[in-house]
Amino acid sequence: TLSVASGEKVVIQGPNGAGKTTLLRVLAGEQRLSAGTARVAGLDLAAATASELAAWRGRALGRVDQHPFQMLRPELDVLGNVALQLRLAGTERLAAEQAARRALDRLGLGSLADRRPEGLSGGEAQRVATAVALANE
């Protein structure tokens, strides 16, 4: 049993194959529970439908994958990648672009807005993925 309070920070550590990534995927609603229950940010993950999970992820969850380039659409520039998350959550185009620019600026990434993911270093991609995760606040 694990309970994590709002704002509390938790470290998940263990050897390869211990299930760290699986646990995080379950908690993000990307992988179904094989047993038990999980409630995250007010949603019962075991009972939620696929569409409920998708809507919940869009409005309540920000996540940075261990492979940040997998989170970024290669056909979009950095600004477009951040704005895409907002658009998927229903934000109008102009408002999404403005919010995306603010998210990039907060992380000191405004100068990367016009760059494509393939032109980013690994560290820059990780920071852009963080901006994507934070875009919905």
Side-chain angles (χ1 to χ4, degrees), residues 101 104-105 107-114:
R101 196 165 297 281
L104 290 169
D105 288 343
L107 295 174
L109 302 173
S111 64
L112 301 178
D114 296 329

Side-chain angles (χ1 to χ4, degrees), residues 36-59:
T37 61
R39 179 172 294 279
V40 178
L43 182 68
D44 180 347
L45 299 178
T49 66
S51 61
E52 289 170 335
L53 287 169
W56 171 78
R57 280 192 299 270
R59 76 174 180 279

Side-chain angles (χ1 to χ4, degrees), residues 4-73:
V4 180
S6 179
E8 183 178 3
K9 293 175 178 69
V10 176
V11 173
I12 307 293
Q13 71 178 37
N16 289 345
K20 302 177 299 289
T21 299
T22 300
L23 173 63
L24 293 176
R25 286 186 177 140
V26 166
L27 295 177
E30 295 174 351
Q31 185 172 329
R32 288 294 191 172
L33 290 160
S34 58
T37 61
R39 179 172 294 279
V40 178
L43 182 68
D44 180 347
L45 299 178
T49 66
S51 61
E52 289 170 335
L53 287 169
W56 171 78
R57 280 192 299 270
R59 76 174 180 279
L61 185 71
R63 181 172 94 66
V64 179
D65 194 271
Q66 62 185 333
H67 305 289
F69 285 105
Q70 291 181 356
M71 297 183 64
L72 303 176
R73 303 291 309 185

Side-chain angles (χ1 to χ4, degrees), residues 117-130:
E118 67 268 8
L120 301 174
S121 70
E124 288 170 335
Q126 189 79 30
R127 292 169 55 211
V128 169
T130 301

